[in-house]
Amino acid sequence: MLAGMMMDRPLLTTGLLRHAALNHADQEITSRFAVEGPHRYTWKDAWHRSARLAHALDALGVKAGDRVGTLAWNDHRHLELYYALPGIGAVCHTVNPRLFPDQITYIVNHAEDRFLFVDPMFVPLVEKLWPALKGVEGVVVLTRPELMPASAVIPNLLCYETLLASQSDEYDWQEFDENTACGLCYTSGTTGNPKGVLYSHRSSVLHAYGVLTAPGLEIRASASVLVVVPLFHANAWGYPYAAAIIGSKLVLPGPRLDGKSVYELMEQEKVTVSSGVPTVWLGLLAHMRATGAKFTSLQSVTVGGSALPRAMLEEFELTHGVACVQGWGMTELSPVGTVGALSQAEAALPVEQQHDAKLRAGRPLYGVEMRVIGPDGNDQPRDGTSYGELAVRGPWITRGYYKDEKANESAFTPDGWFKTGDVAVISADGAMSIVDRAKDVIKSGGEWISSIDLENAAMGHPSVQEAAVVGVPHPRWVERPLLIIVTRAGHEPDKEGLMRHLEGEVAKWWLPDDIVFVPELPHSATGKLLKTELRKRFLSHPLPTAGAAAE
């Protein structure tokens, strides 16, 4: 074939920050912390500070290919690590501090991290884990000298700002193969050990371009973007890179993500766009209801990590006039795969039908290919009803877990597509809907019941704050759904009222065999409902229908 005659320039994340410093130099990045006061600087400042950090990493002896872990919230120092570590050819390994201590130990040791960069609040955690951390040579605390904690356990405790203070703010950034490893993130893993996904510079840059093309995310030069999704989880959905390309203002909230704190930060920084998991938005909306507060700048929110409940969609859009879209993705997808924005034709529909469309996971970004594989191993038709396991491929989708051949054996189809573990359908217009996680779907009498759809129906009741559905063993039907509810503040549990509400929302045979009320639901480190814990807790729950069926 005849080769094109275009320049071959590597796609490197350093180039994104250079672009921002040259073309969006004065655009603001603002941070909040647990202890320090608010911090403000610009994309140009971030460029120069990342250069200082690169020199400091060289002085520590960090080499190309080394993995360096972070245990940190969203602030400007963590952002600098996102750029400086890959910029010298090392790997930025973001570690989720919400994981169980033994999971963190496994992750750090499996990645063979040489250094850890940690927020001050996580120093006690690292001290606890220190005897089991095999290869960590030193710990850098992300703070100023006067706020440095002391440690009698960690022998090489260093101060971030002290390391940067004597360094030059110019650095000779080298160019290298765009397929060089850039970042490392482990899945939260509710069963077995977490699995590592190793991103490349190329995949990260292409993903950032993809995010910018996604309708509904509204990352624009004029936007003030509140990055609620943690920097330690799945590249913060690509925001640190996409915002640098387009020149958005970044608002990095630190650890305070309660409803009151999120609302106040949105108002202070005139936030227009934000993304996060449903648990964060539940807290924000509860604060709005309790105080009667109004948004003065917020225009759009994206919900990901778990299914978007219709009640949440309606409250954002009908009560507050804030556009709400659902996104779907996975750590293995860098992570964004689809966005549930409306097509031109859908936008002309009545509001209720618009919301029906928005409750789908949405259409894939260009670069993400999808297929649904039926139980017989064949592709299902794109008819919106034929379900099976969702498989994907594309330039920012993993081709294998890091140092985990056992996991790779079952993670891919014979022709190399990644198997997501989600049960899904795809419509003729390309929109994908998640029916359930394969492990969460309830198999009752040979038919499937979607726990997600039943949860969303329950969330439509005014007394419900949060809902979860799990399958409970049944002597006749194998499994039947159990609905577990957290009620809103000021509301009393009402099993009969909830059941009457559901009777008008779902098929009769989908109705739960029982409803239980709990003060709170368990969540994973990334905000997802821990169905595994609920299944264990309610494994022996006596269903009212079980006795009659056993007779």
Side-chain angles (χ1 to χ4, degrees):
M1 292 186 181
L2 180 65
M5 297 178 62
M6 310 305 290
M7 292 183 182
D8 185 11
R9 304 290 298 137
L11 301 177
L12 302 176
T13 58
T14 319
L16 304 181
L17 187 57
R18 179 187 289 110
H19 172 81
L22 290 172
N23 300 290
H24 314 299
D26 297 328
Q27 184 61 279
E28 193 173 53
I29 301 170
T30 181
S31 303
R32 296 297 192 274
F33 307 89
V35 177
E36 298 180 46
H39 178 273
R40 298 178 188 275
Y41 73 171
T42 64
W43 280 109
K44 184 177 181 180
D45 296 328
W47 169 249
H48 289 305
R49 291 254 309 172
S50 295
R52 289 177 177 269
L53 175 55
H55 284 295
L57 292 167
D58 288 342
L60 287 173
V62 176
K63 305 296 184 185
D66 285 348
R67 277 76 66 204
V68 175
T70 69
L71 281 159
W73 293 101
N74 293 14
D75 60 46
H76 71 293
R77 297 184 181 109
H78 204 174
L79 182 71
E80 290 158 7
L81 286 160
Y82 254 67
Y83 282 104
L85 281 165
I88 67 169
V91 177
C92 181
H93 172 207
T94 55
V95 182
N96 188 338
R98 295 169 172 166
L99 294 174
F100 294 117
D102 59 341
Q103 290 179 312
I104 295 175
T105 300
Y106 171 82
I107 286 170
V108 171
N109 288 337
H110 187 265
E112 299 177 287
D113 290 332
R114 285 191 58 200
F115 289 89
L116 293 178
F117 283 70
V118 307
D119 279 346
M121 66 172 60
F122 298 126
V123 170
L125 172 62
V126 176
E127 286 180 325
K128 179 181 177 181
L129 304 179
W130 188 253
L133 300 181
K134 299 175 182 177
V136 178
E137 300 171 23
V139 177
V140 180
V141 184
L142 297 164
T143 191
R144 306 195 305 259
E146 65 271 23
L147 298 175
M148 269 293 288
S151 176
V153 177
I154 304 171
N156 192 14
L157 197 65
L158 305 169
C159 175
Y160 184 89
E161 294 297 340
T162 300
L163 290 176
L164 268 60
S166 61
Q167 304 295 344
S168 169
D169 62 4
E170 299 291 338
Y171 189 84
D172 184 18
W173 302 98
Q174 300 298 303
E175 291 188 352
F176 40 79
D177 189 336
E178 64 184 17
N179 291 299
T180 300
C182 167
L184 178 61
C185 184
Y186 282 71
T187 64
S188 52
T190 55
T191 58
N193 288 321
K195 299 182 287 291
V197 181
L198 189 62
Y199 309 110
S200 68
H201 283 261
R202 178 177 185 270
S203 71
S204 297
V205 172
L206 290 176
H207 178 267
Y209 275 123
V211 167
L212 288 173
T213 68
L217 296 188
E218 306 303 331
I219 308 172
R220 302 290 182 263
S222 59
S224 176
V225 181
L226 174 60
V227 187
V228 169
V229 59
L231 288 170
F232 57 69
H233 176 57
N235 295 325
W237 298 359
Y239 281 99
Y241 298 137
I245 295 175
I246 204 70
S248 300
K249 173 181 176 178
L250 274 187
V251 181
L252 304 172
R256 296 194 181 98
L257 296 176
D258 60 280
K260 180 175 184 291
S261 297
V262 170
Y263 173 73
E264 290 176 351
L265 186 55
M266 284 178 165
E267 294 299 301
Q268 291 164 8
E269 301 299 332
K270 297 180 173 56
V271 168
T272 59
V273 180
S274 190
S275 294
V277 297
T279 49
V280 173
W281 302 136
L282 286 171
L284 174 63
L285 291 173
H287 172 75
M288 305 297 284
R289 288 193 298 271
T291 62
K294 303 295 181 184
F295 296 114
T296 61
S297 60
L298 187 65
Q299 299 171 7
S300 175
V301 295
T302 305
V303 180
S306 297
L308 168 62
R310 180 182 285 270
M312 181 180 293
L313 170 63
E314 292 175 346
E315 190 165 1
F316 268 122
E317 296 206 343
L318 302 182
T319 303
H320 298 290
V322 173
C324 183
V325 297
Q326 180 168 204
W328 171 86
M330 303 176 70
T331 302
E332 292 89 342
L333 274 70
S334 296
V336 182
T338 68
V339 175
L342 299 177
S343 68
Q344 185 177 26
E346 290 165 346
L349 295 172
V351 170
E352 186 172 346
Q353 290 175 263
Q354 290 183 30
H355 287 176
D356 290 340
K358 281 193 168 188
L359 290 174
R360 301 182 297 183
R363 296 171 181 84
L365 277 59
Y366 172 74
V368 177
E369 298 177 71
M370 296 185 167
R371 59 197 273 217
V372 169
I373 302 172
D376 59 0
N378 294 321
D379 285 5
Q380 296 284 59
R382 294 182 167 222
D383 57 10
T385 59
S386 300
Y387 54 77
E389 183 173 13
L390 181 67
V392 295
R393 70 176 180 182
W396 59 74
I397 297 170
T398 188
R399 59 178 173 85
Y401 291 111
Y402 181 59
K403 296 195 305 182
D404 199 336
E405 290 306 314
K406 183 177 180 181
N408 290 335
E409 290 174 1
S410 59
F412 298 88
T413 65
D415 54 350
W417 291 59
F418 174 69
K419 297 192 293 184
T420 66
D422 282 323
V423 178
V425 299
I426 300 178
S427 299
D429 62 1
M432 184 268 290
S433 299
I434 299 293
V435 175
D436 218 332
R437 289 292 291 172
K439 60 189 176 183
D440 293 335
V441 71
I442 298 166
K443 302 176 181 66
S444 180
E447 300 289 343
W448 283 9
I449 297 173
S450 168
S451 66
I452 291 175
D453 287 349
L454 195 46
E455 288 161 1
N456 284 342
M459 288 288 291
H461 192 279
S463 70
V464 175
Q465 172 71 11
E466 198 170 6
V469 173
V470 296
V472 174
H474 191 279
R476 179 178 179 184
W477 303 112
V478 182
E479 281 188 321
R480 288 297 298 160
L482 173 68
L483 175 60
I484 307 160
I485 294 293
V486 177
T487 55
R488 287 183 178 179
H491 290 258
E492 294 295 326
D494 180 8
K495 185 183 296 188
E496 292 75 17
L498 261 171
M499 196 65 79
R500 286 194 300 271
H501 166 77
L502 291 173
E503 286 173 354
E505 298 291 328
V506 300
K508 184 176 181 179
W509 64 275
W510 274 37
L511 291 172
D513 281 30
D514 201 6
I515 301 174
V516 297
F517 297 89
V518 296
E520 62 181 5
L521 293 172
H523 292 88
S524 74
T526 55
K528 297 179 181 179
L529 280 172
L530 276 176
K531 296 283 188 76
T532 50
E533 294 298 320
L534 291 173
R535 279 192 288 268
K536 290 178 185 176
R537 187 188 306 179
F538 292 99
L539 179 65
S540 301
H541 180 80
L543 294 175
T545 60
E551 293 176 358

